[in-house]
Structure formats: structure tokens, C-alpha cells
Amino acid sequence: MLTPFPDRTEAGRHLGQALRRYAGRDDVIVLGLPRGGVPVAAEVAALLNAPLDLVLVRKLGVPGHEELAMGAIASGGARTLNDDVIADLRISPDTIETVTEHETRELTRREQLYRGDRPHPDLCNRTVIVVDDGLATGSTMRAAISALRQQRPTRIVAAVPVAASSVCALIGSIADEIACVMTPEPFYAVGLWYENFRPTSDHEVQNLVRMAHERQSAPAPAHR
């Protein structure tokens, strides 16, 4: 019987173990999806001894039912839409654009807050492991993958601790690889598979990225 993860940190440790074949490679970079994916990604990056960075994505929630994604946007202008949700709920193009403009402002705010003047990493010819805390509709991960493809990485690995099996298969068809610790059925929601699923704060994201950068920048210990 599958049991929930205690928290995102522990989930990241399990996910890192599933990705151990990427450990110690100088072409690998781990990108966390803020905010909830970053604590998971930080553990993966530490275990693989890989740099940690961010890919900024915002869900486009249905007005009045914001937990339901009708799409997502990512840094660089990439946008994906969930055509089935839009058609079923008869969401107008004007509504989609209004929500997109609102979420673009928030994405820009977070980009400035988390990154400051630190440059974006060069992803060309690298293996990119994109980490979130789970997949429900997959819209956020789809937007991230779409944005990252434009930067010509060698390989994109979508990695999550938990996902609905059907969404896991969908993401696996657009990424080069999908890594998922568990795919419970029935799934219902990501938060049900964590004992502690409290929101991750902006401050936590900043600290995790800073600590990962310091770890990568520290000189290697001298061998005697």
C-alpha cells in the first residue's frame, strides 16, 4: 500500500534516488518549479551534486475555480492551453487573455525576486531535470518543457515524486524521460500524497537557491 511522503524534502530524497544515474555528471542541471517544486529539486540537486536553478511557470486558473488549470505560461513567453477544459467550460478568448496578463505580471515579479541580477543558465547541450512536487493536470510541466525546448538542451527529464498515471504518460510523451516515484490510483490531488503540504514561501525559495549556489561554488576539499 502506498503511503504519503512526510514532506517535500523527503519526497526529494526519494526522487533523487530514482535519478542516481545522473549523479556527478557535469552536463546535468536541476531546475525547480517555484514554489512547491523547489524544496524537492533542492534535494535532488544535492544528491546528484548538480547545480540548482529555476524555471518560472504560472498556472492559468479558471476564474472562480482557480485550482483548475486551463493552461500555463512560462518564462520566455511560452504558453500551453488545456483545450478540453476550455471547450468544456466555454471559456472565451478574452477571459484567457485577461488571466494570462495577470499571471504574466506575477511571473515577472517572481523572476525579479528569485533571480535578481543572476543570469539565466545556459541550457544548450545539457541534460535538464525539471522538478515539481507532483503532477495533477500536467499543465505547468508542459509549459516548462515547451519553454525549455527553445533553449536546445540535449535531454529533458521531467521528475516528480507523485503523479496521476495518465498525466505521467502524457508528460512522458513530450519530455525525453519521465521519472516518478509513485503513481497512485485513485489519485485525486497532489496534496493528498503529502503529510505536510504547506505552501512554500518566496523566502524559502530564495534560501534554497542561495544555499545550492554556495554549495556549487565552494572549493572541492583537498585530497591528502
Side-chain angles (χ1 to χ4, degrees):
M1 181 178 178
L2 298 176
T3 58
F5 298 106
D7 54 24
R8 290 181 178 89
T9 298
E10 186 63 25
R13 291 173 184 147
H14 283 274
L15 184 58
Q17 289 293 337
L19 294 163
R20 284 302 294 266
R21 62 192 175 282
Y22 291 107
R25 287 175 39 173
D26 59 10
D27 66 321
V28 170
I29 184 170
V30 177
L31 301 182
L33 283 160
R35 287 179 291 206
V38 179
V40 183
E43 292 298 321
V44 172
L47 188 61
L48 302 185
N49 193 27
L52 172 70
D53 214 289
L54 308 174
V55 53
L56 278 291
V57 178
R58 291 292 294 171
K59 178 173 70 175
L60 301 177
V62 174
H65 302 278
E66 281 73 16
E67 74 285 352
L68 178 60
M70 61 180 176
I73 57 172
S75 300
R79 181 173 77 173
T80 61
L81 296 176
N82 189 327
D83 294 330
D84 290 341
V85 169
I86 291 168
D88 288 347
L89 298 180
R90 299 180 181 178
I91 300 169
S92 72
D94 285 348
T95 297
I96 296 170
E97 293 307 318
T98 298
V99 174
T100 298
E101 289 173 10
H102 173 77
E103 294 300 340
T104 298
R105 288 194 294 271
E106 175 62 14
L107 187 146
T108 301
R109 182 193 74 83
R110 292 192 183 190
E111 184 87 45
Q112 294 170 344
L113 179 65
Y114 301 152
R115 188 173 298 284
D117 58 1
R118 185 165 50 86
H120 288 263
D122 182 3
L123 304 180
C124 184
N125 297 325
R126 299 185 76 175
T127 293
V128 178
I129 301 176
V130 193
V131 178
D132 205 355
D133 54 12
L135 295 175
T137 67
S139 293
T140 304
M141 184 65 78
R142 285 171 58 200
I145 293 170
S146 176
L148 293 171
R149 285 288 183 208
Q150 299 170 16
Q151 300 182 56
R152 295 175 294 152
T154 301
R155 186 172 184 80
I156 296 178
V157 181
V160 293
V162 62
S165 58
S166 59
V167 177
C168 194
L170 170 64
I171 297 301
S173 71
I174 61 175
D176 298 300
E177 180 184 343
I178 179 75
C180 184
V181 177
M182 62 182 186
T183 53
E185 292 293 346
F187 177 76
Y188 296 126
V190 172
L192 295 178
W193 298 98
Y194 287 86
E195 293 174 7
N196 179 352
F197 197 63
R198 65 173 180 79
T200 303
S201 70
D202 287 338
H203 183 65
E204 287 176 285
V205 172
Q206 290 172 299
N207 276 344
L208 288 167
V209 173
R210 176 184 54 79
M211 289 188 293
H213 180 72
E214 290 173 354
R215 171 177 55 82
Q216 284 289 308
S217 301
H223 294 287
R224 296 186 176 181

